[in-house]
């Protein structure tokens, strides 16, 4: 693996899941793989799980991890080619990234979309500029449109909890939220479940909340949440803002929030969410604190997903 910015960087999802679960069983089995190597974690946005799980994963592989909160501690970065930098930005990514590439063996970056201009966000300019100029492997810690470490974690969590000899029915459901949120987690989950291809996959959301077809193609899509939930084995809950009329909140209908009553439609489904979650807005206390919730296990698995990805990149760079 050269970089890790989407499912397209993975040659075999099941092998990567297996690798992650082997690290879950034996966290320190490759404690020397990253000896004398350094990984840089650049954050342009807040994070709890991604920041800490990636550091733990790197440490398990013997790497030194350095976190840099670029948004708070760094110079304001410019990403536009040919920009006349007479505004607020101080340093161009084409100057900063090659320097970071000299300090680190692997560079990890988290950026969020601006949610103002869809073409800008969906061009993934920030992460592509780092790949272009850093000269070392780049791992996405969540980008403008995707969150691949989260999605790998989600497939790991599904695989390790699924015991029946048939395909699981996985439902991605939109949930209410007070703010316009990115589509990254939902895009990425759809992209990975479709690429994995070992589940019946349904997406449900209100009218006008369609996600980009490039990620959802292959899923059954319905505006009827009850119909979607019927016989579900896994319910993945996530809010996202509108894609077509980009970055808006059209709908905040609380009836879209998953409750124990709605769960009766499912096949005693397990409930997943990437976190952070706004309790009793996106997901009810009764679900989050109840026996169906996988959210803590899911967040714990972030370490093994990150460790499998970092190890794959280290192995490739050694070969
Ligand atoms: N799920 C996730 O990426 O969490 P953080 O934003 O806390 O990293």
């Amino acid at each position: 693996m050269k970089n890790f910015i989407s499912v397209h960087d993975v040659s075999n999802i099941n092998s990567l899941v297996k690798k992650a679960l082997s690290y879950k069983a034996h966290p320190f089995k490759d404690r020397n793989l990253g000896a004398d190597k350094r990984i840089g974690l650049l954050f342009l946005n807040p994070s709890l799980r991604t920041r800490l799980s990636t550091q733990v994963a790197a440490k398990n592989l013997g790497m030194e991890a350095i976190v840099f909160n670029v948004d708070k501690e760094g110079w304001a970065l410019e990403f536009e080619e040919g920009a006349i930098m007479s505004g607020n930005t101080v340093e161009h990514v084409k100057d900063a990234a090659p320097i970071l590439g000299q300090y680190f063996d692997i560079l990890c970056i988290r950026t969020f979309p601006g949610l103002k201009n869809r073409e800008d966000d969906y061009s993934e300019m920030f992460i592509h500029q780092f790949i272009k100029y850093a000269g070392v492997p780049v791992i996405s810690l969540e980008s403008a449109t995707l969150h691949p470490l989260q999605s790998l974690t989600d497939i790991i969590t599904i695989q390790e909890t699924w015991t029946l000899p048939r395909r699981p029915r996985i439902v991605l459901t939109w949930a209410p939220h007070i703010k316009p949120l990115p589509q990254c987690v939902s895009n990425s989950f759809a992209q990975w479940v479709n690429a994995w291809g070992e589940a019946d996959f349904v997406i449900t959301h209100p009218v006008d909340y369609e996600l980009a077809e490039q990620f959802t193609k292959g899923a059954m899509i319905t505006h009827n949440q009850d119909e979607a939930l019927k016989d579900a084995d896994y319910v993945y809950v996530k809010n996202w803002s509108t894609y077509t009329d980009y970055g808006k909140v059209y709908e905040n209908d609380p009836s879209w929030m998953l409750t124990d009553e709605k769960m009766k439609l499912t096949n005693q489904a397990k409930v997943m969410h990437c976190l952070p979650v706004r309790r009793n807005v996106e997901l009810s206390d009764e679900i989050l604190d109840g026996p169906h919730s996988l959210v803590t296990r899911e967040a714990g698995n972030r370490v093994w997903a990150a460790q499998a990805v970092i190890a794959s990149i280290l192995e490739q760079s050694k070969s």
Side-chain angles (χ1 to χ4, degrees):
M1 190 185 296
K2 209 159 163 244
N3 299 298
F4 184 73
I5 60 168
S6 85
V7 76
H8 301 305
D9 295 306
V10 179
S11 56
N12 186 319
I13 293 175
N14 284 337
S15 298
L16 194 58
V17 168
K18 206 167 153 199
K19 191 178 185 77
L21 289 173
S22 78
Y23 283 130
K24 186 169 185 172
H26 304 286
F28 307 114
K29 71 189 177 86
D30 285 334
R31 67 171 80 231
N32 295 320
L33 183 63
D36 303 327
K37 303 265 185 199
R38 203 173 288 127
I39 188 165
L41 279 63
L42 273 58
F43 285 87
L44 283 87
N45 303 96
S47 161
L48 185 153
R49 280 143 291 270
T50 308
R51 166 189 306 258
L52 297 174
S53 62
T54 311
Q55 286 180 83
V56 172
K59 186 115 180 98
N60 288 350
L61 294 167
M63 293 188 93
E64 182 185 8
I66 295 180
V67 175
F68 181 29
N69 298 309
V70 185
D71 57 331
K72 296 183 187 70
E73 297 154 359
W75 300 114
L77 287 175
E78 176 63 58
F79 290 87
E80 206 71 57
E81 286 287 352
I84 298 168
M85 291 173 53
S86 56
N88 293 329
T89 55
V90 179
E91 180 158 28
H92 203 285
V93 68
K94 66 164 74 173
D95 299 315
I99 297 164
L100 295 167
Q102 292 188 37
Y103 297 161
F104 298 109
D105 301 283
I106 300 176
L107 209 49
C108 308
I109 296 141
R110 168 173 276 202
T111 66
F112 281 169
L115 290 179
K116 300 268 186 296
N117 182 312
R118 191 175 77 187
E119 281 66 41
D120 281 357
D121 288 344
Y122 275 69
S123 75
E124 290 283 14
M125 180 171 62
F126 287 18
I127 203 136
H128 285 132
Q129 293 280 63
F130 271 105
I131 290 172
K132 184 172 174 186
Y133 293 114
V136 293
V138 172
I139 295 176
S140 167
L141 301 175
E142 188 170 352
S143 66
T145 66
L146 294 170
H147 196 350
L149 281 175
Q150 180 65 52
S151 308
L152 172 58
T153 303
D154 297 333
I155 301 287
I156 292 166
T157 307
I158 290 167
Q159 284 207 25
E160 73 168 350
T161 54
W162 183 243
T163 52
L164 298 179
R166 62 168 174 81
R167 291 158 69 87
R169 178 176 166 93
I170 300 175
V171 177
L172 167 63
T173 180
W174 183 90
H177 202 282
I178 55 160
K179 286 171 61 180
L181 295 192
Q183 294 110 29
C184 320
V185 170
S186 311
N187 284 344
S188 196
F189 185 71
Q191 185 188 48
W192 279 72
V193 174
N194 280 326
W196 181 43
E198 295 186 19
D200 295 333
F201 184 35
V202 182
I203 302 174
T204 183
H205 55 71
V207 174
D208 294 328
Y209 273 80
E210 277 69 24
L211 293 164
E213 198 189 357
Q214 60 174 307
F215 306 118
T216 61
K217 201 168 178 185
M220 203 274 263
I221 300 172
T222 173
H223 299 140
N224 184 331
Q225 192 190 40
D226 286 355
E227 178 191 49
L229 291 174
K230 196 164 176 318
D231 299 328
D233 298 303
Y234 293 88
V235 184
Y236 198 97
V237 179
K238 187 70 186 85
N239 171 270
W240 61 88
S241 58
T242 53
Y243 170 75
T244 306
D245 178 21
Y246 192 58
K248 305 284 190 308
V249 176
Y250 279 168
E251 173 71 82
N252 204 9
D253 180 357
S255 74
W256 275 84
M257 186 178 76
L258 198 64
T259 58
D260 275 348
E261 190 57 33
K262 283 180 193 249
M263 287 293 289
K264 288 179 186 160
L265 293 164
T266 73
N267 183 28
Q268 299 191 358
K270 305 281 188 206
V271 178
M272 302 175 71
H273 188 288
C274 63
L275 305 179
V277 63
R278 288 194 182 235
R279 281 178 173 250
N280 304 311
V281 177
E282 276 184 275
L283 253 178
S284 58
D285 278 342
E286 62 188 9
I287 299 275
L288 283 164
D289 300 332
H292 297 288
S293 174
L294 283 182
V295 300
T296 305
R297 180 181 195 140
E298 188 182 353
N301 282 339
R302 290 293 305 269
V303 171
W304 319 117
Q307 194 164 336
V309 167
I310 296 168
S312 299
I313 288 176
L314 288 172
E315 282 158 0
Q316 162 111 4
S317 65
K318 279 189 174 170
S319 64

